Amino acid sequence: MVTRKDLTDLLRWHQEIGVDAIVMNEPNNRMKPAAPPVVTTVKPVISSMPAQHGSTHPASACQTLDELKDAMANFNQCSLKTTAMNMVFSDGNPKASIMLVGEAPGADEDKQGLPFVGLSGQLLDRMLATVKLSRKENIYITNIIPWRPPGNRPPTTAEIAACQPFVERHIELINPKILILIGGVAAKTLLNTTEGIVRLRGTWRSYQSAGLSQPIKTMATLHPAYLMRSPGQKAMVWRDLLSIAKEANIAL
């Protein structure tokens, strides 16, 4: 029989060894067989809302970059917005005659709220500098998708469709003389093609949308993230940059 003295001695012993709080209502039976683990399936967050197009999309009413930025910040039909830290709108000189469009923000871009600021962005800056292009002076940069996809996965077709009117209106407001498309997602989206980036790059094409008075000369090229994995392909991008500099009348 357990006496009051036994309980008092047990309590005093627990206090002496540092036990001063009860975390469970009942003692844990460590001899009991463990329950099987619960397996859960984590599904990627993707957009399921139907995309708006044409005059029904909020981008169509924007007349300035500030209005476009506000419309994007208030847009709730792309679920990437709920998982991203920051919206990545743009960087560079909005009066530049050359506009560059990439795919989607990565981790560094998501943290800073600026496009192409990670390792691949630093490589891009060095590449552009070889033909006297700089986001501080004569180039303007944005992305197809303004929010980072979780885990840097590729954006889905639905996410691209939801955000495409924004980037199209963005291009219309900047109205550059030259458009550079970085990577396959940007090239295939804005050129409305299923061709791969290797076939698309290196050839001048035309980009046209409803809000443009005339087509824009467009060059697609390889993404710097791809070049970091395949440095042997840098020569192709160098040829693309030389062609862009020639078109822009940049003396090298």
Side-chain angles (χ1 to χ4, degrees):
M1 178 178 177
V2 180
T3 66
R4 182 181 181 87
K5 183 177 182 302
D6 293 333
L7 294 174
T8 302
D9 291 341
L10 181 62
L11 179 61
R12 185 178 296 110
W13 177 74
H14 278 96
Q15 289 176 327
E16 289 175 353
I17 64 173
V19 178
D20 58 4
I22 297 175
V23 296
M24 300 178 65
N25 292 328
E26 297 180 0
N28 184 17
N29 183 0
R30 300 188 183 279
M31 302 300 294
K32 183 179 179 180
V38 178
V39 179
T40 58
T41 302
V42 179
K43 297 182 178 180
V45 178
I46 61 174
S47 301
S48 58
M49 301 178 184
Q52 292 175 303
H53 298 282
S55 60
T56 62
H57 196 281
S60 62
C62 299
Q63 300 300 316
T64 66
L65 292 177
D66 287 339
E67 289 179 3
L68 183 66
K69 188 174 183 179
D70 289 342
M72 292 169 65
N74 293 318
F75 188 68
N76 296 315
Q77 294 194 35
C78 180
S79 59
L80 293 178
K81 178 181 178 181
T82 64
T83 59
M85 294 176 61
N86 288 297
M87 183 182 77
V88 178
F89 183 69
S90 69
D91 194 19
N93 182 2
K95 296 182 179 180
S97 61
I98 301 176
M99 183 175 183
L100 185 151
V101 180
E103 178 182 314
D108 292 305
E109 290 76 15
D110 188 31
K111 291 177 184 177
Q112 299 187 40
L114 293 170
F116 287 102
V117 292
L119 291 177
S120 64
Q122 294 167 28
L123 175 58
L124 175 65
D125 285 343
R126 294 195 297 271
M127 291 161 48
L128 295 173
T130 62
V131 290
K132 299 183 180 179
L133 291 177
S134 165
R135 66 178 79 197
K136 293 181 179 180
E137 298 177 3
N138 53 6
I139 199 164
Y140 183 79
I141 304 175
T142 190
N143 281 315
I144 295 289
I145 303 291
W147 299 285
R148 180 197 179 197
N152 289 351
R153 63 164 174 78
T156 66
T157 301
E159 290 159 356
I160 293 172
C163 298
Q164 185 172 346
F166 284 122
V167 72
E168 290 177 349
R169 187 60 183 149
H170 210 152
I171 295 170
E172 291 169 359
L173 291 173
I174 297 298
N175 194 21
K177 294 180 180 178
I178 296 174
L179 190 62
I180 305 174
L181 307 180
I182 301 292
V185 170
K188 289 190 281 188
T189 298
L190 294 178
L191 295 176
N192 191 27
T193 181
T194 58
E195 286 190 87
I197 185 60
V198 175
R199 291 181 61 87
L200 290 171
R201 60 143 298 274
T203 303
W204 284 106
R205 300 168 188 269
S206 293
Y207 171 79
Q208 178 71 68
S209 66
L212 291 172
S213 59
Q214 60 184 9
I216 299 174
K217 296 203 71 171
T218 302
M219 173 72 75
T221 193
L222 303 176
H223 198 286
Y226 171 75
L227 296 179
M228 293 175 68
R229 301 190 298 270
S230 305
Q233 307 301 319
K234 289 182 179 180
M236 290 196 293
V237 178
W238 172 241
R239 291 195 293 269
D240 297 343
L241 291 173
L242 290 177
S243 182
I244 291 167
K246 181 179 179 180
E247 182 67 28
N249 293 318
I250 297 174
L252 301 180

